[in-house]
Amino acid sequence: MEKHIPISAKTRIFCIIGHPITHSFSPFIHNYWFKELGLDFKYLAFDVHPDQLKQSIKGIKALNIKGFNVTIPHKEAILNLIDKVDVLAQEIGAINAIKLEEGDLIGRNTDALGGKKALLDAGCKIKDKKVLILGAGGAARAISFALIEDIDSLVIANRTSERVRILAGDLIKKKNNEIKIINFNTQSLKKELGDIDILINTTPIGMYPNINKSPISKEILHSDLFIFDLVYNPIETQLLKEANLIGCKSQGGLDMLINQGALAFEWWTNKKPSIDKIKDKIIENMMRN
Ligand code: NAP
């Protein structure tokens, strides 16, 4: 039975900052784990406008807050406001988890390894596979850098060309794989998909409230694809529904969300949180709201 620990002068604070922030699942996830493990910690969400980001980081350090997350739109801007950034996060150009250690703020990108773990846990083999990523934003950067050393080749489809060109150029510096950039339209996607093993959606298409939309026409999908949709609200997106009808193996975004949180949690507390229970709790909570 979990013990209720009342807030006291000993309670330690963790938090997330973003703008907007009320949609975030992180307070629910971390507070559940703190309670489950009997830790006298609380996790709060702060809406921080970009103009106040620098000030808020100074404040977090001054208040000796030991760990925090950042989300949209601060994942990139915060790179220049902390003391150290690990190699993978530097390559990605974004961080989502920070720890205060011996007076230094250290940044990591736990989205990257959380996403890779979600794929592996779903039984997806990534070694020497051909991957197609839809989108070239922050999540695409995280997952592509996490996978690039294992996979055989990568195709990236994006709506606008500048972002995708920068991503492809950065990835080639890490590993000289075959990386192809294509337009985000059915004709270009159809030409590539025949050879592809893993299709990853990193665009917000299909995300609540636009839950009937899919980023790719179901007519061009094939049953040998493993489909990973990073969107986690709804749990089963239109893309995943269509993937399942065709007979594709698939993974949704919720496992990645939980994994990125668990990696940060373990880093901050040196304790392992429960992964399976929190998934059910999040789904229950989503049904209620
Ligand atoms: P982002 O940096 O804003 O990037 C969004 C990407 O999607 C861009 O490449 C953008 O193309 C493309 N895009 C957006 N709307 C589009 C549309 N209508 N048609 C075609 N392309 C479109 O966002 P992000 O941080 O990468 O997040 C993207 C999604 O991943 C969100 O749904 C987010 O919730 C999800 N995510 C999930 C997790 C998880 O743990 N499961 C973690 C991170 C993100 P342009 O470059 O042309 O604008």
Side-chain angles (χ1 to χ4, degrees):
M1 182 77 175
E2 294 142 3
K3 204 174 115 206
H4 172 68
I5 304 174
I7 292 175
S8 74
K10 289 187 201 149
T11 305
R12 294 217 330 239
I13 296 298
F14 292 75
C15 66
I16 182 165
I17 59 174
H19 181 73
I21 196 63
T22 47
H23 66 281
S24 174
F25 286 12
S26 293
F28 182 86
I29 294 172
H30 287 283
N31 285 317
Y32 179 86
W33 285 333
F34 290 154
K35 197 169 171 196
E36 184 185 44
L37 291 167
L39 298 169
D40 188 6
F41 301 163
K42 289 281 181 263
Y43 187 106
L44 300 174
F46 295 111
D47 191 332
V48 173
H49 188 274
D51 293 347
Q52 293 299 317
L53 182 63
K54 195 172 175 182
Q55 292 290 84
S56 74
I57 302 304
K58 277 190 184 166
I60 284 174
K61 204 170 179 178
L63 291 171
N64 202 23
I65 288 178
K66 298 289 185 198
F68 63 102
N69 289 116
V70 286
T71 189
I72 289 171
H74 305 315
K75 286 185 183 182
E76 287 151 35
I78 197 171
L79 275 169
N80 299 320
L81 301 175
I82 59 173
D83 303 297
K84 292 179 194 159
V85 177
D86 84 354
V87 175
L88 180 61
Q90 264 176 35
E91 289 169 341
I92 295 166
I95 56 178
N96 68 308
I98 297 106
K99 183 178 182 180
L100 181 62
E101 221 168 45
E102 293 171 5
D104 282 340
L105 288 174
I106 303 165
R108 282 188 185 171
N109 189 309
T110 65
D111 282 338
L113 297 184
K116 182 176 178 178
K117 185 175 183 310
L119 261 181
L120 295 173
D121 288 350
C124 178
K125 304 259 186 302
I126 55 178
K127 189 91 191 121
D128 299 328
K129 295 295 180 194
K130 297 185 190 309
V131 179
L132 194 159
I133 294 184
L134 305 174
R141 290 191 68 90
I143 196 74
S144 58
F145 272 98
L147 300 182
I148 195 70
E149 287 188 311
D150 295 304
I151 62 179
D152 171 61
S153 61
L154 178 61
V155 180
I156 316 171
N158 200 44
R159 185 176 53 178
T160 51
S161 61
E162 201 192 330
R163 232 171 167 185
V164 70
R165 271 202 225 115
I166 295 170
L167 173 55
D170 290 347
L171 284 165
I172 283 172
K173 285 183 216 148
K174 180 159 171 127
K175 193 185 167 204
N176 202 6
N177 292 39
E178 190 192 319
I179 299 178
K180 192 168 177 182
I181 295 170
I182 61 164
N183 289 326
F184 193 172
N185 62 45
T186 301
Q187 207 186 352
S188 311
L189 290 166
K190 188 178 176 183
K191 260 196 220 158
E192 299 299 328
L193 266 180
D195 281 345
I196 294 296
D197 304 300
I198 305 170
L199 170 70
I200 306 177
N201 174 42
T202 73
T203 77
I205 302 171
M207 189 167 84
Y208 179 84
N210 301 310
I211 59 170
N212 296 322
K213 294 233 161 82
S214 171
I216 187 162
S217 162
K218 65 173 182 295
E219 278 73 38
I220 62 171
L221 300 176
H222 60 81
S223 60
D224 292 336
L225 286 169
F226 187 102
I227 299 188
F228 183 22
D229 193 348
L230 265 57
V231 172
Y232 52 81
N233 188 6
I235 305 289
E236 191 183 39
T237 58
Q238 185 65 24
L239 171 61
L240 292 182
K241 280 184 192 159
E242 289 168 359
N244 293 340
L245 281 177
I246 291 163
C248 304
K249 295 195 174 106
S250 63
Q251 173 65 293
L254 188 58
D255 287 67
M256 172 170 170
L257 179 78
I258 294 169
N259 291 342
Q260 63 75 27
L263 288 167
F265 186 96
E266 232 181 298
W267 184 35
W268 297 331
T269 65
N270 288 320
K271 295 194 190 306
K272 261 197 185 310
S274 71
I275 301 291
D276 297 337
K277 267 198 235 162
I278 191 71
K279 197 168 171 179
D280 293 340
K281 294 285 169 192
I282 293 171
I283 295 168
E284 262 174 41
N285 190 47
M286 278 171 97
M287 307 273 212
R288 265 201 304 269
N289 294 309

